[in-house]
Amino acid sequence: MAPEAAAIPLLTPYKMGNFILSHRVVLAPLTRQRSYNNVPQPHAILYYSQRTSKGGLLIAEATGVSDTAQGYPQTPGIWTKEQVDAWKPIVDAVHAKGGIFFCQIWHVGRVSNSGYQPNGQAPISCTDKGLAPVIRANGVDVAQFTPPRRLRTDEIPQVVNDFRVAARNAIEAGFDGVEIHGAHGYLLDQFMKDQVNDRTDEYGGSLVNRCRFPLEVVKAVSDEIGPERVGIRLSPFANYCESGDSNPEELGLYMANALNKYGILYCHMVEPRMKTVGERVESPHSLVPMRKAFNGTFMVAGGYDRKEGNNAVVENRADLVAYGRWFLANPDLPKRFELHAPLNNYNRETFYVSDPVVGYTDYPFLDGSF
Ligand SMILES: Cc1cc2nc3c(=O)[nH]c(=O)nc-3n(C[C@H](O)[C@H](O)[C@H](O)COP(=O)(O)O)c2cc1C
């Protein structure tokens, strides 16, 4: 049998707009907290290039759009020239190996505290409702949140503009496009979800109003860099950071349809079964209605292994499958899927440590090299 005929569904080529992907195994956006002072570091060159394959799509970790966007230690930004310049060699390294690289642009909104904010001010959100403290991913530290300040209606265009400028900066840094982070309880999701959004202006109340700000961001970013370079990540079913919705199907479907108007490249949705970022539960819900509604490339993520990824492609539930933890621990994940080789296990304890090597670039390739 010819090798092409033998290729598993995940390793078949796919044309995503103007990008010719050689396979469908995508690096999911993964915060690694190794960008000291919010500046991407040289060690990210090795990390991302290890995970690059020719014609493979990578999505960079969540990257702040402004000085109010941060809520975690050592996460990268893309609002200063220093940050843009620091991304360049990282992007170049991915391109040198034939990868396609999108930057996930991010604002945490209320998932922050005054220690991360300019002049110690309160974080911004759609609401002034605060978050209860939570145990950090290391199981020891407790994250404390400062009650947010509700954005005034007339301040919203400035935040939309921050996303626009960040997208332009990402292109300036050499990225092939951006993924707008509209998932996981961060700023855009805070506006969309009725459990959080308690506004009474045109950005709150009805579903149309709650989706207005995220869609203004989509429009501004698309106008700036072209819709053919724009993706968005959504998690309508998730309730991370106290960000749930009473009718997630309706929300997901409304967004999928509304996005068609802007003709953006892809919609990336997190599976309903992902109860928290790292915990999978059974769910009766499905992303299939949104997949059917959205006209562009549809990407799924959350709890996928090789078999389920293949099934999703074969059953036409997705064009692309993003892998988080398995790709974090297996720099050559597409190759391992091709060979049906065993996978390195991931170590949660080093997901977010600031070490430039440990838990970052020291997961071996199949042949034992790095
Ligand atoms: C260490 C870690 C960091 C993450 N950082 C981000 C992030 O920056 N942006 C994002 O949208 N999701 C983030 N996620 C969620 C992943 O992209 C992915 O959706 C999740 O891990 C579920 O997929 P998986 O089962 O393949 O790991 C993160 C997950 C992990 C484990």
Side-chain angles (χ1 to χ4, degrees), residues 8-334:
I8 61 169
L10 277 172
L11 296 176
T12 54
Y14 174 74
K15 188 169 180 300
M16 179 179 78
N18 301 325
F19 302 100
I20 310 288
L21 305 185
S22 64
H23 62 80
R24 297 152 188 265
V25 181
V26 177
L27 175 69
L30 293 166
T31 292
R32 306 308 315 276
Q33 296 185 197
R34 286 150 165 98
S35 297
Y36 314 136
N37 300 315
N38 307 132
V39 179
Q41 297 293 308
H43 44 250
I45 297 173
L46 180 59
Y47 170 74
Y48 282 108
S49 70
Q50 283 177 332
R51 284 158 185 76
T52 304
S53 53
K54 193 169 184 319
L57 174 63
L58 294 83
I59 305 166
E61 63 212 86
T63 299
V65 298
S66 69
D67 63 355
T68 63
Q70 254 64 24
Y72 299 85
Q74 327 290 18
T75 50
I78 193 144
W79 72 89
T80 70
K81 182 167 187 311
E82 185 190 8
Q83 292 163 340
V84 173
D85 288 343
W87 273 115
K88 286 180 181 168
I90 305 167
V91 179
D92 287 347
V94 170
H95 284 159
K97 288 180 74 178
I100 293 137
F101 203 10
F102 274 53
C103 182
Q104 189 185 51
I105 52 175
W106 184 40
H107 195 301
V108 298
R110 67 175 181 164
V111 188
S112 187
N113 68 48
S114 51
Y116 294 109
Q117 297 297 319
N119 311 314
Q121 68 192 35
I124 56 170
S125 183
C126 61
T127 179
D128 55 11
K129 281 185 294 187
L131 286 170
V134 292
I135 309 278
R136 284 261 193 233
N138 64 12
V140 181
D141 299 331
V142 177
Q144 301 282 352
F145 305 100
T146 306
R149 181 178 70 78
R150 185 195 310 272
L151 281 167
R152 293 190 317 270
T153 311
D154 66 354
E155 291 176 297
I156 290 180
Q158 180 56 48
V159 187
V160 173
N161 194 55
D162 290 340
F163 275 90
R164 186 182 65 75
V165 173
R168 187 175 68 204
N169 289 347
I171 299 302
E172 157 73 23
F175 281 103
D176 298 289
V178 301
E179 174 174 290
I180 298 165
H181 196 342
H184 295 163
Y186 299 117
L187 185 65
L188 273 64
D189 204 29
Q190 289 159 28
F191 273 80
M192 282 182 270
K193 299 289 181 64
D194 63 7
Q195 190 182 322
V196 188
N197 187 331
D198 55 359
R199 302 180 72 88
T200 54
D201 63 1
E202 67 263 36
Y203 292 96
S206 68
L207 181 59
V208 175
N209 280 356
R210 283 182 279 119
C211 294
R212 188 180 308 281
F213 166 66
L215 291 170
E216 285 180 357
V217 170
V218 169
K219 180 172 190 310
V221 168
S222 299
D223 287 349
E224 185 68 30
I225 66 170
E228 70 283 359
R229 293 174 185 276
V230 179
I232 189 167
R233 192 175 220 210
L234 299 170
S235 60
F237 294 92
N239 61 357
Y240 313 156
C241 307
E242 300 175 36
S243 186
D245 195 81
S246 61
N247 195 340
E249 280 94 357
E250 191 187 31
L251 170 61
L253 211 47
Y254 175 80
M255 283 300 288
N257 281 308
L259 292 171
N260 286 334
K261 202 168 104 199
Y262 304 99
I264 63 168
L265 181 64
Y266 73 77
C267 177
H268 179 181
M269 281 208 188
V270 179
E271 288 287 345
R273 65 186 172 209
M274 297 312 288
K275 186 155 173 276
T276 67
V277 172
E279 188 191 351
R280 187 180 149 159
V281 295
E282 287 311 309
S283 169
H285 302 291
S286 158
L287 298 178
V288 168
M290 293 111 209
R291 194 284 193 270
K292 287 191 175 146
F294 183 67
N295 294 337
T297 295
F298 198 75
M299 192 186 318
V300 293
Y304 277 93
D305 60 12
R306 179 181 186 272
K307 183 161 172 264
E308 284 182 282
N310 280 328
N311 288 345
V313 173
V314 168
E315 292 165 16
N316 197 24
R317 285 184 276 115
D319 301 307
L320 303 174
V321 182
Y323 288 86
R325 290 161 295 173
W326 288 126
F327 221 147
L328 184 158
N330 294 273
D332 50 356
L333 189 66

